Amino acid sequence: MNKIKIAVLANGAWDYEWGIQALEDVNFLICADGGANNAALSLRMPDHVIGDLDSILPENLSRCEDSGCVIERYPCEKDETDLELALLRAEEKAGLLGEQDIWLYGATGKRIDHFLGNVALMLAYARKGYRLRVIDPEQDLWIVQGREEIKGAPGQEISLIALSEKAVVTTEGLYYPLYKGVLLQERPRGISNVFVGEKATVEVHEGWVMVVLPRA
């Protein structure tokens, strides 16, 4: 059975040429407000646009309406960010389809406060059993749950960052191996490890660990 790729596009830094390829295999695209501008630049119409709609350009809003895209407008004064609202819709879709992964684009760059908030959302969704995969032209980020095999290339860097106060981790296939090693939130010991071959295994026994995988 083919997996359905559910993605959310935020209003962060965006390389529209890269985005054309990145969004090509997305089956269902939800844009958080101005993320629809990014989608338009990459010649992809969203299936759903949600937020207070203060960032989407009027011409792009009209194009979305003409395409039959679902438009969900919220007031500017609200408790949730536009991205939180978009992720809630993605979670509903993923739950219906039995998918664990939600792909998140346009969620890095521009504003560090938004990015730090997005890391908090990654952790919140991991605790609910979902995996937010944050993708940009430079790297992939996600939170490992249990044991996972990761593909890479010899010499490619990978960083493991504890999001909990403490994490207990075992790795295989990395230059600096860990066997039930302790990564602390306050000490970035897991940054800039290196693939020995074309794959590595990371197993998190305790705590929460984010993988940052720069592109080879």
Side-chain angles (χ1 to χ4, degrees):
M1 183 176 177
N2 292 331
K3 292 179 71 63
I4 303 298
K5 190 169 182 178
I6 301 162
V8 172
L9 179 51
N11 194 26
W14 188 247
D15 180 328
Y16 74 92
E17 291 185 347
W18 172 84
I20 292 173
Q21 183 177 4
L23 299 179
E24 190 174 22
D25 62 347
V26 171
N27 302 104
F28 193 83
L29 180 63
I30 304 169
C31 288
D33 196 350
N37 298 326
N38 292 336
L41 287 171
S42 295
L43 309 178
R44 170 64 192 266
M45 296 306 298
D47 300 285
H48 196 130
V49 175
I50 188 169
D52 52 33
L53 307 187
D54 65 345
S55 299
I56 184 173
L57 296 174
E59 60 267 31
N60 287 332
L61 179 58
S62 295
R63 291 176 63 193
C64 289
E65 291 170 338
D66 292 343
S67 73
C69 169
V70 173
I71 309 293
E72 197 172 348
R73 186 190 295 266
Y74 281 76
C76 292
E77 294 185 3
K78 58 188 185 303
D79 292 333
E80 301 84 3
T81 65
D82 291 337
L83 180 55
E84 284 182 270
L85 295 171
L87 286 171
L88 286 171
R89 295 294 171 265
E91 180 186 350
E92 292 171 359
K93 190 76 172 179
L96 287 172
L97 297 173
E99 296 290 343
Q100 180 191 22
D101 290 340
I102 298 171
W103 302 76
L104 180 53
Y105 298 92
T108 59
K110 285 189 178 180
R111 288 181 54 173
I112 191 66
D113 54 342
H114 284 191
F115 173 68
L116 291 174
N118 295 343
V119 172
L121 288 171
M122 292 173 70
L123 184 56
Y125 273 80
R127 286 175 169 151
K128 292 193 286 186
Y130 292 96
R131 179 167 46 200
L132 292 188
R133 303 187 67 102
V134 176
I135 312 294
D136 70 21
E138 304 298 329
Q139 61 260 311
D140 298 357
L141 300 82
W142 71 95
I143 293 175
V144 173
Q145 299 181 44
R147 180 182 174 91
E148 185 172 338
E149 185 176 278
I150 302 171
K151 295 180 180 179
Q156 183 177 357
E157 289 189 349
I158 181 174
S159 292
L160 305 176
I161 300 171
L163 297 184
S164 48
E165 184 176 353
K166 181 181 78 171
V168 180
V169 182
T170 295
T171 64
E172 301 172 17
L174 298 179
Y175 185 80
Y176 301 105
L178 292 170
Y179 179 71
K180 294 189 175 179
V182 175
L183 298 180
L184 299 175
Q185 190 180 61
E186 61 189 25
R187 293 189 62 193
R189 176 187 173 194
I191 286 181
S192 296
N193 211 328
V194 180
F195 279 83
V196 175
E198 295 182 347
K199 63 181 180 181
T201 301
V202 176
E203 183 173 5
V204 179
H205 307 280
E206 177 186 332
W208 299 99
V209 172
M210 181 170 68
V211 173
V212 180
L213 185 65
R215 301 200 186 281

